[in-house]
Amino acid sequence: MKIDLTDTTAGKVNKALVQGRRAIGTPAVGMVLTLVIVTDEENAYDALKAAGDASHEHPSRTLVVIKRVSRSPRDRTASRLDAEVRVGADAGSGETVILRLYGEVADHADSVVLPLLLPDAPVVVWWPVNAPLDPAKDPLGALAQRRVTDTYSSEQPVRELSARADAYTPGDTDLSWTRITPWRSMLAAALDQVVCEVKAVEVEGEEFNPSCELLAMWLADRLDVPVRRSLSAGPGLTAVRLATSEGAIALDRADGSLATLSIDGQPDRAVALKRRDTAELIAEELRRLDPDDTYASALRFGVERLNASAAPAAAAAEPVPVAAAPAAQAVPAAQASEPSAKGEPAVEAAAAEAPAPEAAAKEPLRKRAKAT
């Protein structure tokens, strides 16, 4: 059911929501949160579709805030609020209100949204595009316990990460970070299978992809080893290769859906690692409304510090040992254990040439790698 309201108020929108619920025979409200989407007209459809799909897992009241640009000085002084109320099958498993703000009212969107929030329920604000540099200080962001941005949609994603680190407030998160959750889980599981010391890491992916940078910063932060960032044609992240004291570990995904996990001395395994759509990413973020300390730690590690830590490895003549061979190439167990001319296993001899981490008192590697 759809109800269109022109030149309306927040009070009339609330009445329309009650009227719509009664008309479809569901007066009870069973929603668990309020999701506020701040976007433009161009991206509103895709964001609304993703939120509708995610509402099947998290029934919510979705408020879409669209600030319309006034075309003339006269229109800029005229304030108007148009609303479209959707309930029932047209709103997924919750309620949807599309708010179009004209004129001066666009500068006071928080005053329009505040009366429409569900009482005693968490508030999540999501900017699919054009997110503020400091989401917590934005008038709408100040209403929320959780603030979701997406640096991938910015013009300079890697530089945007530095701005996000400077303005980070507990409750901030990034869909570019959410995209690498399966990668982090798979790498932590791989390190649990081998008692080893990681000496160097290479993260391979397309250029200007903040998910690649975030994964590299997470690995550098948790493992305290040099991490080199290399480029590929994509899509997205394509490979992570670790040089360890027990041989090479590689997770290679060339086609964006199926990856190959290679560990020296073990048979290669195919693992599902598909690229997820926006609805799955939003649904994951709505599962947890507490601050993400792991994201904060990786973000604050910094892109500049990541590049500085990788500089000694890049200056060395020898590349990261595991980068010399494709990750998907199987290494037979017999070959992995075959001694070299110096009497050392071939893979171990190559791994030993990688820069060693700083020898300081640190917690065990497996414990740090496992903490995601």
Side-chain angles (χ1 to χ4, degrees), residues 100-111:
R100 291 182 171 87
L101 285 61
Y102 298 82
E104 294 180 352
V105 73
D107 297 327
H108 305 280
D110 54 319
S111 300

Side-chain angles (χ1 to χ4, degrees), residues 86-150:
R86 302 179 182 179
V87 293
D90 294 316
S93 297
E95 299 172 342
T96 299
V97 180
I98 302 175
L99 304 168
R100 291 182 171 87
L101 285 61
Y102 298 82
E104 294 180 352
V105 73
D107 297 327
H108 305 280
D110 54 319
S111 300
V112 177
V113 169
L114 186 59
L116 301 176
L117 301 178
L118 289 172
D120 302 323
V123 179
V124 179
V125 178
W126 171 33
W127 291 268
V129 294
N130 301 325
L133 290 179
D134 192 346
K137 292 185 178 179
D138 183 84
L140 286 172
L143 301 175
Q145 289 79 33
R146 191 79 164 168
R147 295 164 294 275
V148 184
T149 59
D150 190 354

